Amino acid sequence: MTVVPQRVAMLQHRFATALPELALPSVAAAVPDPRVVVLNGPLAAELGLDPDRLRSPEGVGLLTGTVVPEGAMPVAQAYAGHQFGGFAQLGDGRALLMGEVEDTDGRLRDLHLKGSGRTRFARGGDGLAALGPMLREYVVSEAMHALGIATTRSLAVVATGRTVRREEGLPGAVLARIASSHLRVGTVQLARATGDLDLLRRVVDHAIERHHPEVAGDVNPCLAFYSAVVAAQARLIAQWMLVGFVHGVMNTDNMTLSGETIDYGPCAFLDVFDPTTVFSSIDQGGRYAYANQPAAGEWNLARLAEALLPLIDEDQDRAIELATEALGSFRVEYDAAWSAGMLAKLGVAADASAADRLFSPLLDLLRESHVDHSSFWRRLATAARGDAEPVRGMFVDLAGFDAWLDQWRAFGPDADAMDQVNPLHIPRNHLVEEALEAATTGDLAPLERLLEAVRSPFRQVVGLERYAEPPPAGTGRYRTFCGT
Ligand code: AMP
Ligand code: MG
């Protein structure tokens, strides 16, 4: 009898086969001394992967790209992107699509590695990633998932034993990322830029098959696909706004066709409510500031429409007309999602007058008093239960806030419903920093506690009370760094 060794994972190569022009076969860099820093057991189970096998030498090889399962075809994906407004041809410079895995629900999911070595798209980059930023992506994407916000997931972070040269020498790592696909607005833009309409059509067909199969039978599948992406992105960005998430680098290469949040670089959550908040050190003009995110998303979707025009209608004037109308639904969808979310945060039933009376006066008050965004909403629920003092203590303009409270109370807010949508635990900047610093020097305990907190966004965790608190007074505006 011959024993056939069972593979850690069965990988497909649908993207590479359907779109070979955009798939550059690539090889991962050697990993001198791999060490699994975090492994996502529940996600592994969802994928039908055995966490113990993933920790074996073969599994760690898969998680770093140094062992390629038979039949797999790791590729760097080519794409383009408007980066801070300027168009560029890009591609995975330090990443590999290992292939697709069918999860236990029969859905196809990408296994993708970040920090796996240089590819032909690396330009001047070293192809590597430092441990801190890969752990940041792990923590923040787990938090987003727990918050119910569409996102790529993190399967593991493996330290490589290699030093990565940044401003200082840092421990290197590879992040294994799971996504419903890595198709981006920039993927379509690159296909269009080649002038090859057959390639453009295959990109759209592939995206429809993976994300919006319901539009395949539409009279104008490309237009219906575009509308589906517009709707998904409008809902996504509304959710970011409601929870105080600042993506930081909303270039078109960092915007998915699936509607999942992707590429956690310089992202962070608001501490105090300030619409002008920018965390990223490279975003000098504030293009991707908190309050600009809906407009940035809409701008990116206009670029997607331009790339799709030849497939929307043969008559380009007609195509522009149809695409403009479809893009017009962004604001409608965004406003509907945001308003519904705000009412839920306020614990108030749908009512047009509630929106008019409550939303914008509240946002003004929050901004003027520099109120901590996340704890405000939980304290407001406490006010709905009868104790308004904790939330009143957050405002400088007390008379103004008291007047607002009276208006809000008139709508009969439901405190328990509020606590189900307003997170107690978000990955607060000072806690993320603390956890990453400790992990970089080998102490994983703070990272594990932070993960425990953010995986339970709405429920108090005994022993983790500090994880629900605003940053200590005197903590300055947080800075994040991109391209690390
Ligand atoms: P981002 O905006 O961080 O998603 O990255 C923009 C582009 O730069 C992507 O195509 C990345 O693959 C590439 N890139 C970022 N960092 C590196 C690096 N250290 N080495 C090679 N390419 C990189
Ligand atoms: Mg990117």
Side-chain angles (χ1 to χ4, degrees), residues 184 253-254 263:
R184 306 150 190 266
D253 51 306
N254 292 334
D263 273 356

Side-chain angles (χ1 to χ4, degrees), residues 13-45:
H13 40 76
R14 302 257 193 114
F15 174 86
T17 308
L19 302 164
E21 298 93 330
L22 306 181
L24 190 73
S26 300
V27 175
V31 174
D33 183 19
R35 180 174 54 86
V36 176
V37 179
V38 266
L39 180 73
N40 195 333
L43 178 59

Side-chain angles (χ1 to χ4, degrees), residues 82 87 116 124 162 189 235-236 255 283 406 414 423 461 469:
H82 274 92
F87 185 78
S116 51
R162 188 200 286 264
Q189 287 182 292
R235 285 193 296 266
L236 177 70
M255 191 170 191
D283 190 1
D406 285 342
D414 177 342
V461 179
E469 295 297 319

Side-chain angles (χ1 to χ4, degrees), residues 289-342:
Y290 170 74
N292 290 350
Q293 296 186 114
E298 190 181 30
W299 191 90
N300 289 346
L301 290 164
R303 306 289 78 76
L304 176 60
E306 285 165 2
L308 291 172
L309 286 177
L311 302 187
I312 290 177
D313 201 289
E314 277 174 20
D315 173 349
Q316 288 307 276
D317 291 337
R318 179 71 186 139
I320 291 170
E321 208 176 294
L322 291 169
T324 305
E325 191 189 330
L327 178 59
S329 68
F330 179 86
R331 282 178 194 216
V332 179
E333 296 265 3
Y334 174 83
D335 287 343
W338 184 81
S339 297
M342 278 295 279

Side-chain angles (χ1 to χ4, degrees), residues 264-279:
Y264 293 88
C267 65
F269 283 73
L270 293 183
D271 285 311
V272 297
F273 182 77
D274 175 354
T276 67
T277 301
V278 175
F279 294 111

Side-chain angles (χ1 to χ4, degrees), residues 29 101 171-172 334 364 448:
V101 186
Y334 174 83
D364 289 342
E448 278 155 14

Side-chain angles (χ1 to χ4, degrees), residues 11 23 41-42 51 166 182 202 237 248 286 317 334 341 345 403 410 436 440 468:
L11 291 178
R166 295 294 180 257
H182 284 76
R202 277 184 287 123
I237 297 171
D317 291 337
Y334 174 83
K345 287 176 87 65
L436 301 195
T440 300

Side-chain angles (χ1 to χ4, degrees), residues 79 83 92 114 177 184 249 253-254 262-263:
Y79 44 85
Q83 300 192 302
D92 291 330
K114 190 161 166 180
R177 174 159 83 182
R184 306 150 190 266
V249 59
D253 51 306
N254 292 334
I262 197 170
D263 273 356

